[in-house]
Amino acid sequence: MNTSISKTANKIIAMIENDGPVTLERYMQLCVDAYYGGSEPFGRSGDYITAPEVSQMFGEAIGVWMATAWQMLGSPKKCNLVELGPGRGTLMADILRTVKILPGLTETLQLHLVETSYKLRDMQKQKLEEFGVTVCFHDSFASIPANPSLFVANEFFDALPIRQLIKTGDVWRERMIGFENGELAFAAGDIVEPPEWAGDGNDGDIIEVSPARQRAASMIAEHVAANGGAGLIIDYGHEKSVAGDTFQAVSKHKFVDVLQMPGSCDVTAHVDFEQLGKDLVAGGAEIHGPKSQGEFLIAMGLREREAMLKKKAPARVRINLSRQAARLVSDKQMGLLFKVLAVTSHGLGKPHPFGDPNA
Ligand code: SAH
């Protein structure tokens, strides 16, 4: 392992040498900040590809959902359209293109992007210029103006730092990262209190909790509760809180050691949808789902859209469309691992497709 390759690695090593091991949470935060503040991470030539970059059909399905949600909110005259962690801006561009189908909607929208990377802010601004809407940037949901909001967060929560707790003997300890024999290495830190769901656990078990995700969920829920709103949180993760180490790093579309190249690869952790749901409800919002991404997209008409796009397309493009659709919905690809959770203010009812199909 060559830890001297990146500025971030040097910075982390210096921190450890001065003050001792850092928490995994701090390590992940430093990696994410350096990564998104640096080179362009997305797309085929980058490190990984997200659903909106796979196909326009993804953003179109979200756009259709947003249009219906706007009507559920009572077609407000002033409505925030918020995206958390917009990446290249592709999803928002597809949403804005799609919501035009509903007359009167676009004119009511004020665009707000929650994005900490200044590099990506520039890219998002350029991408969305053609829609003629003013883009406001925010560091968090806390500064979003007090109007009803439609919001979406795709692969945002997985990038927010987690803490790991490791069972060592009879106690749980904070998982730390130290520097030993010239290498970054995991270490066990202070004894800490586990969440209730952790149970007794076995020696070596790892559980994950995330104060940063909890803060983000609370801000969203409180805003929605106070001003009205509806949105979708889409991410990879599990429906129930369970033990397991999901901290991962991806470089050039392959998994790599999480300690190998801090700041130069994408580090994330799976989202615990049970905990996320609890935090949203505690903040005053209603939740619906989660549903698997495949189920959600098909219920939103992805297959019909695929057939429509194929009608005018040459054979090569038709094959591509089939591949893209399969990538988004099939159980073996993104369809099952990715989940969609809907969040609404109280009293709106269940948004499609989260209601009971037989009701
Ligand atoms: N939603 C996009 C990109 C996901 S990558 C897509 O689907 O393609 C994660 C995004 O979240 C990046 O834009 C990154 O800069 C942003 N991000 C990471 N941590 C953040 C934080 N704490 N606050 C706001 N944005 C953050």
Side-chain angles (χ1 to χ4, degrees):
M1 181 173 78
N2 181 1
T3 38
S4 64
I5 47 168
S6 81
K7 242 165 71 181
T8 314
N10 284 332
K11 183 171 150 185
I12 293 170
I13 292 164
M15 280 171 79
I16 297 170
E17 282 178 339
N18 285 333
D19 302 320
V22 293
T23 61
L24 184 142
E25 184 184 32
R26 179 99 182 93
Y27 176 80
M28 185 171 171
Q29 181 77 69
L30 290 164
C31 289
V32 170
D33 288 347
Y35 184 66
Y36 288 110
S39 60
E40 201 216 311
F42 309 108
R44 253 168 256 287
S45 58
D47 291 318
Y48 64 103
I49 184 161
T50 59
E53 308 294 340
V54 168
S55 167
Q56 68 184 69
M57 292 182 278
F58 180 80
E60 288 167 351
I62 308 289
V64 170
W65 192 91
M66 291 296 170
T68 323
W70 180 72
Q71 288 179 314
M72 285 179 83
L73 287 170
S75 310
K77 296 221 158 33
K78 227 179 184 185
C79 186
N80 300 321
L81 177 56
V82 188
E83 182 173 0
L84 298 106
R88 271 184 175 172
T90 310
L91 173 57
M92 186 47 82
D94 289 334
I95 292 174
L96 287 171
R97 199 164 39 72
T98 307
V99 295
K100 282 195 195 139
I101 52 168
L102 200 63
L105 197 177
T106 307
E107 298 69 31
T108 70
L109 295 178
Q110 295 185 335
L111 200 54
H112 297 280
L113 305 181
V114 178
E115 174 61 71
T116 38
S117 157
Y118 283 85
K119 242 185 172 151
L120 289 179
R121 282 185 181 191
D122 283 344
M123 195 184 289
Q124 292 152 10
K125 206 170 168 186
Q126 269 178 30
K127 177 100 186 180
L128 300 171
E129 235 161 31
E130 63 168 294
F131 295 94
V133 286
T134 320
V135 186
C136 299
F137 287 102
H138 301 263
D139 289 331
S140 80
F141 215 94
S143 52
I144 303 289
N147 298 314
S149 298
L150 297 169
F151 73 89
V152 63
N154 185 60
E155 291 208 38
F156 167 73
F157 277 88
D158 67 54
L160 299 184
I162 55 154
R163 290 172 58 204
Q164 281 192 337
L165 279 49
I166 184 161
K167 187 87 196 264
T168 44
D170 291 341
V171 292
W172 292 93
R173 288 181 183 275
E174 186 82 36
R175 204 149 190 237
M176 312 291 288
I177 289 152
F179 189 64
E180 272 173 37
N181 307 322
E183 291 192 346
L184 290 171
F186 286 109
D190 290 345
I191 295 176
V192 286
E193 203 51 47
E196 246 171 54
W197 61 261
D200 288 341
N202 298 312
D203 198 39
D205 274 1
I206 288 175
I207 55 172
E208 299 177 337
V209 292
S210 174
R213 292 175 184 175
Q214 194 165 9
R215 280 194 297 274
S218 304
M219 280 191 255
I220 294 173
E222 281 162 20
H223 194 285
V224 159
N227 305 289
L232 296 171
I233 295 173
I234 308 151
D235 229 308
Y236 43 91
H238 34 278
E239 277 186 42
K240 295 274 166 219
S241 302
V242 284
D245 174 10
T246 75
F247 188 40
Q248 64 181 45
V250 170
S251 173
K252 310 262 179 282
H253 305 273
K254 291 208 169 67
F255 287 109
V256 293
D257 185 329
V258 287
L259 303 182
Q260 199 185 334
M261 33 201 279
S264 316
C265 57
D266 178 47
V267 297
T268 60
H270 285 205
V271 172
D272 173 351
F273 276 90
E274 185 175 359
Q275 186 60 51
L276 181 60
K278 280 183 192 161
D279 296 337
L280 290 160
V281 168
E286 267 186 31
I287 55 162
H288 314 277
K291 265 187 185 302
S292 69
Q293 176 171 300
E295 220 187 328
F296 173 83
L297 291 175
I298 285 172
M300 291 312 297
L302 182 118
R303 289 296 183 202
E304 291 76 4
R305 184 65 184 141
E306 181 190 352
M308 243 169 87
L309 289 170
K310 277 179 175 167
K311 261 191 192 151
K312 292 180 225 151
R316 190 180 43 81
V317 177
R318 287 204 301 276
I319 292 169
N320 253 340
L321 284 162
S322 298
R323 281 207 192 110
Q324 293 169 359
R327 184 145 187 193
L328 293 175
V329 304
S330 92
D331 284 1
K332 290 203 185 97
Q333 301 192 61
M334 299 175 93
L336 202 57
L337 178 61
F338 280 76
K339 316 268 185 303
V340 183
L341 182 72
V343 186
T344 61
S345 40
H346 280 269
L348 287 192
K350 282 206 170 290
H352 179 70
F354 295 90
D356 176 358
N358 304 312

